[in-house]
Amino acid sequence: YNDKFCKSIGGITETKHYYNYPGGRSYIRVDCETEHYVYEGGLDKRSSLDSLQQAIFFSTLTDKKPAIVIYNTDNEIGKYEHRIMQASKKAGIKFLIY
């Protein structure tokens, strides 16, 4: 899903960004990165509830705007899409359903 979405907007998938924390050094991979946005992609499942945190953290590392894209696998707006959409809206973060 991330590859298809990212190609459709001219982005790059799985860009690697390093960061330091008090106990050492690690990295994250951004699902899709464009010139202005870092997208966290997720399925319309419970596992995507942390998408908001990930998008915001990506943004802190890249100085780009955070965004979330949820892949709608059942053609319905279910409870998880709704929760993520409402939290994104409240936080002022771009939210897409793809």
Side-chain angles (χ1 to χ4, degrees):
Y1 292 102
N2 284 330
D3 287 340
K4 185 176 179 182
F5 167 75
C6 202
K7 285 179 186 173
S8 77
I9 62 167
I12 301 169
T13 58
E14 297 295 318
T15 54
K16 195 176 204 180
H17 295 275
Y18 288 89
Y19 65 94
N20 295 317
Y21 63 98
R25 183 169 169 82
S26 191
Y27 66 89
I28 51 92
R29 291 184 189 271
V30 174
D31 289 335
C32 181
E33 187 168 345
T34 66
E35 183 179 354
H36 300 289
Y37 283 92
V38 282
Y39 290 85
E40 169 59 17
L43 296 175
D44 50 354
K45 311 281 185 225
R46 182 174 178 73
S47 60
S48 292
L49 290 176
D50 67 345
S51 296
L52 187 61
Q53 177 275 136
Q54 288 180 288
I56 293 169
F57 186 67
F58 295 167
S59 177
T60 67
L61 295 179
T62 63
D63 289 326
K64 294 182 179 184
K65 296 175 187 173
I68 297 168
V69 58
I70 296 297
Y71 304 112
N72 191 348
T73 62
D74 59 8
N75 295 320
E76 294 180 14
I77 303 300
K79 61 184 176 183
Y80 300 119
E81 296 100 302
H82 177 76
R83 287 173 62 178
I84 298 164
M85 180 173 34
Q86 292 304 311
S88 298
K89 184 177 180 180
K90 183 73 172 181
I93 292 175
K94 183 177 182 176
F95 175 86
L96 301 171
I97 293 181
Y98 187 79

